[in-house]
Amino acid sequence: KQEVTQIPAALSVPEGENLVLNCSFTDSAIYNLQWFRQDPGKGLTSLLLIQSSQREQTSGRLNASLDKSSGRSTLYIAASQPGDSATYLCAVYSGTYKYIFGTGTRLKVLA
Amino acid sequence: DTAVSQTPKYLVTQMGNDKSIKCEQNLGHDTMYWYKQDSKKFLKIMFSYNNKELIINETVPNRFSPKSPDKAHLNLHINSLELGDSAVYFCASSRGTNGANVLTFGAGSRLTVL
């Protein structure tokens, strides 16, 4: 049974810092891994999707990497800004019509 | 032009009542989902439908009955509401089942059972 864990659960950093969020999963037989952002009281916004054959994806200041064999993904945020404050969730898709979500990391970027 | 829209956004109701949440997507996706987000913000799959057919029912009580009249709609009806049903319910959709299928979410429906 696939389990997805995110570390840390919460993170508070000063503006401008580079930071790394971690996601680990127990079953490496995945089709893709997706990173989402959720603002308080809002839905989830897809940030990056990495297919199982890919090692990383980049969008602006965000870079996500995937190491399937070790069951890990990282989301790197460069030069963090207060507007990056949100909960970040990763989800893995194993081709079974369901995404399994991680526990989330609550990020606060201080001005 | 909202891609995945849910109504209502907020629901406040008494225990024992029946309520429905509607979801529509205009992305041309063939798979739709209901997720439940609890008070600790953990997202758990409830149902998934592909081309109007139920694929996943993740041990959800039969008080919850999803219905998909067509590929673009997936509604959720809940009978005999209980306190523990209070949560945010998210509808989502994706295209196909290969590795490139981005999951797109609605804004959520916050259900409060008193």
Side-chain angles (χ1 to χ4, degrees):
Chain A
K1 181 186 169 187
Q2 180 74 271
E3 292 183 3
V4 183
T5 307
Q6 291 184 246
I7 294 173
L11 185 60
S12 188
V13 300
E15 182 177 8
E17 273 206 8
N18 302 324
L19 55 100
V20 174
L21 308 181
N22 296 292
C23 172
S24 59
F25 47 96
T26 54
D27 185 348
S28 61
I30 65 170
Y31 278 51
N32 68 43
L33 183 145
Q34 209 168 337
W35 281 94
F36 293 87
R37 169 189 173 134
Q38 185 176 26
D39 293 286
K42 305 283 187 188
L44 280 75
T45 301
S46 179
L47 298 173
L48 289 163
L49 179 147
I50 312 177
Q51 298 187 54
S52 63
S53 58
Q54 298 172 328
R55 298 285 290 183
E56 64 179 310
Q57 283 286 332
T58 298
S59 175
R61 293 181 294 108
L62 305 180
N63 176 277
S65 67
L66 175 65
D67 183 344
K68 244 183 41 162
S69 59
S70 67
R72 290 182 191 170
S73 176
T74 60
L75 179 67
Y76 176 82
I77 303 177
S80 57
Q81 303 169 357
D84 294 331
S85 298
T87 296
Y88 290 81
L89 295 134
C90 66
V92 299
Y93 183 69
S94 304
T96 53
Y97 290 94
K98 62 180 176 182
Y99 282 79
I100 304 296
F101 278 81
T103 44
T105 294
R106 268 190 334 276
L107 172 65
K108 188 164 187 178
V109 181
L110 306 168
Chain B
D1 201 18
T2 307
V4 181
S5 58
Q6 298 179 226
T7 54
K9 190 167 171 64
Y10 298 99
L11 272 167
V12 180
T13 189
Q14 302 284 334
M15 274 175 54
N17 284 351
D18 304 338
K19 287 293 177 188
S20 292
I21 307 171
K22 295 187 176 183
C23 178
E24 175 181 4
Q25 54 95 4
N26 63 6
L27 298 166
H29 288 170
D30 55 7
T31 305
M32 296 186 73
Y33 312 80
W34 279 110
Y35 277 85
K36 178 180 180 179
Q37 188 172 47
D38 61 23
S39 56
K40 294 185 178 176
K41 307 299 183 191
F42 184 64
L43 267 166
K44 187 170 164 50
I45 181 78
M46 298 175 68
F47 302 101
S48 62
Y49 272 73
N50 178 253
N51 288 316
K52 305 191 303 175
E53 299 298 319
L54 176 67
I55 303 296
I56 298 272
N57 176 343
E58 197 75 354
T59 59
V60 178
N62 57 16
R63 296 183 297 104
F64 291 79
S65 49
K67 278 192 174 48
S68 182
D70 55 58
K71 282 197 319 183
H73 296 84
L74 179 61
N75 304 321
L76 183 65
H77 186 76
I78 316 171
N79 291 323
S80 305
L81 279 156
E82 300 178 356
L83 292 176
D85 297 332
S86 294
V88 181
Y89 292 85
F90 284 100
C91 177
S93 71
S94 68
R95 184 195 305 278
T97 58
N98 61 26
N101 50 338
V102 174
L103 188 62
T104 305
F105 276 83
S109 298
R110 180 177 294 276
L111 171 65
T112 302
V113 182
L114 304 174

